[in-house]
């Protein structure tokens, strides 16, 4: 007997909503109704371009029929079976596909429910391997300042964000931090490359100061996410970091939660630096393209197999490697590869970069354009000459987001560490985006910035 369709009546628009993040008295957000391609519609019929793929997650856009079919078929077979009792075919196929794309040195995959879980899993994997290797004194994880590697307490401990640390610091053991190799705001007397190399040298000093025998890993985003706004350091930085980590026996972890699975124009952003590949990679977001919560840790066979032989990974989650999520991920990654979407991301990223730089010539508030592939950001400044950020009370970035949304474009924004490192808009549409859609996105950004400049001048 077929189950009846469940009809849910929406609550009155003006009534109370039992949602954590609604501020009392705040204007209500529109209610999403449906999505197709790079577009979303609300219940009032308004259409929006998903210009940042949500929080850089919806790599395939919305309403992908292949992913929906894979989800339905898996649910009809078995939606959940614990990995403690069973292997499942979707997990095995997804592991084979992702590790084949990642390449040598990343032959094993462990699937979790998102980026924060991937960070936790990566550092626990590194720690357990160190202990099994007779290096139990290694436990410190160095990261960059600023940086963001997740919302769990373990991830907060290795993230460079003094705002989070101010709130949660008493509950965690904060880890050492070194400077991020910014390319826009750099100290006097430096070029972007010389400053990046100085940041790499700071890493080595930190390792020596902490005691190399105590340092477990160094984690970074090869293309920056929310903390650095699509920051891409020079090639020499990545090579020097790799050499430093190798010299001191420190594991190098690349956080590719945002940049991975084609977003930056290659399956891994790490592939832009083949001589500086990491020891461990974390993935999420594009791995299932927003169709289900899914993340992963990729690691060397030698590391994982040694842990397995010693009794297994002392870590796991209820939904680790579950059949439904893995089936959705398998469909999403297969679609990404078969449609050559990493290549499209590279080509459309070049087009987007060009359009944004044209806008930069016209709009005084657009201070910098940076990124790789379809992981781009534009930095907003009050004074381009001084690279001055707007004061918090001016709400510049929120106003621009609102102006863009009024014109039918959704953009993700960030004001890192209370504006200490600037504020920016992430421009990262689905990897399926076309040239005409890139031009549409650019036009709305231009219009929104023009409207903001007009407001700011009054």
């Amino acid at each position: 007997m077929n189950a009846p369709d469940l009809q849910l009546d929406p609550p009155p628009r003006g009534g109370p909503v039992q949602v954590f993040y609604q501020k009392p008295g705040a204007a209500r957000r529109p209610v999403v109704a449906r999505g197709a391609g790079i577009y979303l519609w609300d219940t009032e019929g308004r259409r929006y371009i998903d210009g940042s793929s949500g929080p850089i997650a919806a790599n395939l856009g919305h309403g992908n029929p292949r992913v929906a079919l894979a989800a339905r078929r898996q649910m009809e077979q078995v939606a959940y079976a614990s990995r403690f009792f069973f292997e499942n075919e979707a997990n095995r196929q997804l592991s084979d596909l992702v590790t084949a794309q990642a390449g040598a040195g990343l032959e094993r995959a462990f699937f979790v429910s998102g980026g924060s879980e991937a960070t936790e899993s990566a550092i626990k994997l590194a720690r357990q391997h160190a202990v099994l290797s007779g290096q139990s004194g290694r436990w410190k994880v160095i990261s960059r300042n600023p940086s963001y590697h997740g919302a769990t307490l373990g991830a907060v401990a290795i993230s460079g964000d003094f705002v989070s640390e101010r709130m949660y610091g008493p509950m965690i053991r904060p880890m050492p931090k070194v400077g991020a190799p910014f390319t826009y705001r750099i100290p006097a007397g430096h070029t972007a490359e010389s400053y990046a190399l100085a940041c790499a040298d700071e890493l080595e000093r930190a390792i020596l100061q902490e005691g190399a025998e105590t340092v477990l890993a160094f984690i970074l985003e090869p293309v920056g996410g929310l903390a650095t706004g699509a920051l891409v350091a020079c090639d020499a930085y990545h090579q020097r970091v790799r050499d430093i980590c190798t010299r001191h026996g420190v594991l190098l972890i690349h956080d590719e939660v945002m940049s991975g699975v084609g977003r930056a124009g290659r399956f891994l952003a790490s592939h832009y630096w083949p001589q500086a590949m990491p020891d461990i990679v974390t993935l999420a977001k594009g791995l299932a393209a927003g169709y289900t919560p899914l993340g992963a840790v990729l690691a060397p066979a030698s590391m994982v197999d040694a842990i397995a032989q010693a009794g297994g990974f002392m870590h796991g989650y209820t939904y680790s490697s579950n059949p439904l999520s893995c089936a959705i991920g398998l469909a999403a990654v297969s679609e990404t590869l078969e449609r050559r979407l990493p290549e499209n991301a590279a080509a459309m990223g070049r087009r987007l970069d060009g359009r944004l730089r044209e806008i930069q010539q016209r709009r005084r508030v657009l201070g910098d354009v940076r990124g790789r592939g379809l992981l781009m950001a534009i930095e907003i400044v009050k004074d381009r000459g001084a690279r001055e950020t707007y004061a918090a009370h001016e709400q510049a970035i929120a106003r621009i987001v609102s102006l863009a949304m009024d014109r039918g474009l959704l953009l993700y924004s960030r004001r890192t560490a209370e504006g200490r490192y600037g504020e920016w808009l992430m421009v990262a549409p689905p990897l399926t985006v076309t040239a005409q859609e890139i031009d549409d996105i650019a036009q709305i950004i231009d219009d929104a910035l023009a409207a903001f400049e007009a407001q700011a001048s009054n």
Side-chain angles (χ1 to χ4, degrees):
M1 183 174 68
N2 292 329
D5 290 338
L6 180 64
Q7 300 294 327
L8 297 176
D9 294 326
R13 190 64 189 272
V17 174
Q18 313 309 324
V19 177
F20 246 44
Y21 299 107
Q22 293 284 358
K23 295 180 180 179
R28 297 276 288 278
R29 299 185 182 99
V31 178
V32 67
R34 64 186 181 94
I38 71 165
Y39 302 100
L40 293 165
W41 284 262
D42 66 21
T43 52
E44 304 298 319
R46 291 201 60 195
R47 189 185 78 170
Y48 307 86
I49 297 173
D50 192 356
S52 60
S53 305
I56 331 295
N59 283 18
L60 296 179
H62 305 280
N64 185 279
R66 178 178 186 170
V67 178
L69 180 60
R72 177 167 183 160
R73 285 177 173 171
Q74 188 63 54
M75 290 183 74
E76 289 172 345
Q77 293 170 1
V78 56
Y80 178 79
S82 172
R83 67 187 182 89
F84 293 105
F85 300 112
F86 296 99
E87 293 185 15
N88 70 80
E89 190 60 32
N91 180 29
R92 297 198 301 188
Q93 290 187 29
L94 181 58
S95 298
D96 288 347
L97 180 60
V98 171
T99 55
Q101 293 299 314
L106 297 168
E107 301 93 353
R108 299 288 185 267
F110 179 70
F111 294 101
V112 296
S113 298
S116 298
E117 286 189 6
T119 295
E120 296 278 335
S121 302
I123 59 178
K124 285 186 175 181
L125 182 72
R127 170 61 181 170
Q128 189 172 349
H129 182 258
V131 172
L132 291 175
S133 302
Q135 302 179 78
S136 59
R138 292 187 185 270
W139 56 273
K140 298 172 185 175
V141 179
I142 300 175
S143 61
R144 304 195 302 200
N145 190 25
S147 61
Y148 179 80
H149 299 291
T152 56
L153 288 178
V156 168
I158 65 168
S159 292
D161 180 4
F162 76 85
V163 177
S164 290
E165 192 171 314
R166 187 167 59 201
M167 174 64 71
Y168 301 115
M171 303 173 69
I172 62 176
R173 188 169 191 170
M175 296 287 184
K177 309 294 188 296
V178 296
F182 282 110
T183 56
Y184 183 54
R185 289 184 174 85
I186 57 178
H190 274 292
T191 64
E193 181 167 339
S194 70
Y195 181 59
L197 294 177
C199 290
D201 291 341
E202 183 185 355
L203 168 63
E204 185 157 38
R205 290 195 301 273
I207 291 171
L208 294 173
Q209 181 177 338
E210 295 293 333
E213 71 284 357
T214 72
V215 179
L216 177 65
F218 176 51
I219 186 169
L220 64 86
E221 291 178 300
V223 179
L226 295 184
T228 56
L231 170 68
V232 184
C234 63
D235 295 350
Y237 170 83
H238 288 278
Q239 188 61 61
R240 185 168 293 186
V241 164
R242 176 67 273 180
D243 292 344
I244 290 167
C245 289
T246 300
R247 184 159 58 248
H248 296 289
V250 173
L251 294 174
L252 178 59
I253 302 173
H254 277 187
D255 177 343
E256 295 227 34
V257 167
M258 278 195 183
S259 62
V261 198
R263 167 61 63 182
R266 298 190 182 179
F267 187 78
L268 298 179
S270 305
H271 290 157
Y272 284 107
W273 303 280
Q275 302 306 312
M277 285 292 289
D279 301 293
I280 298 174
V281 168
T282 60
L283 299 172
K285 296 187 183 285
L287 188 61
Y291 286 87
T292 195
L294 187 64
V297 177
L298 309 183
S302 58
M303 179 184 295
V304 175
D305 293 352
I307 290 173
Q309 290 170 7
F313 191 18
M314 293 174 55
H315 176 68
Y317 301 98
T318 299
Y319 295 100
S320 296
S321 303
N322 77 85
L324 179 58
S325 291
C326 287
I328 293 171
L330 178 62
V333 176
S334 298
E335 184 86 340
T336 298
L337 297 172
E338 291 173 20
R339 293 177 62 179
R340 300 180 66 85
L341 295 183
E343 291 88 342
N344 191 62
M348 292 301 101
R350 289 190 292 270
R351 185 182 187 92
L352 178 60
D353 180 84
R355 291 301 310 273
L356 293 174
R357 292 186 188 281
E358 291 173 5
I359 296 169
Q360 186 181 21
Q361 299 305 309
R362 294 191 294 274
R363 302 297 165 215
R364 58 178 173 76
V365 298
L366 205 172
D368 192 34
V369 176
R370 55 182 179 263
R372 187 68 62 89
L374 286 174
L375 183 52
M376 301 289 297
I378 54 174
E379 183 153 347
I380 303 302
V381 294
K382 188 171 188 175
D383 183 327
R384 192 154 64 185
R387 303 184 179 184
E388 176 190 355
T389 303
Y390 279 89
H393 73 271
E394 296 177 273
Q395 294 287 300
I397 205 79
R399 288 159 60 192
I400 295 170
V401 167
S402 180
L403 289 166
M405 192 169 180
D406 289 344
R407 290 161 174 77
L409 176 65
L410 307 175
L411 295 172
Y412 203 37
S413 64
R414 180 73 168 180
R415 181 180 172 86
T416 298
E418 299 176 346
R420 179 177 297 182
Y421 302 102
E423 57 184 355
W424 41 79
L425 299 161
M426 303 297 289
V427 189
L431 310 191
T432 58
V433 70
T434 66
Q436 181 58 58
E437 290 166 342
I438 288 290
D439 292 344
D440 293 343
I441 290 168
Q443 185 61 58
I444 297 176
I445 290 173
D446 195 14
D447 292 346
L449 293 180
F452 175 75
E453 288 183 347
Q455 288 180 2
S457 298
N458 294 333

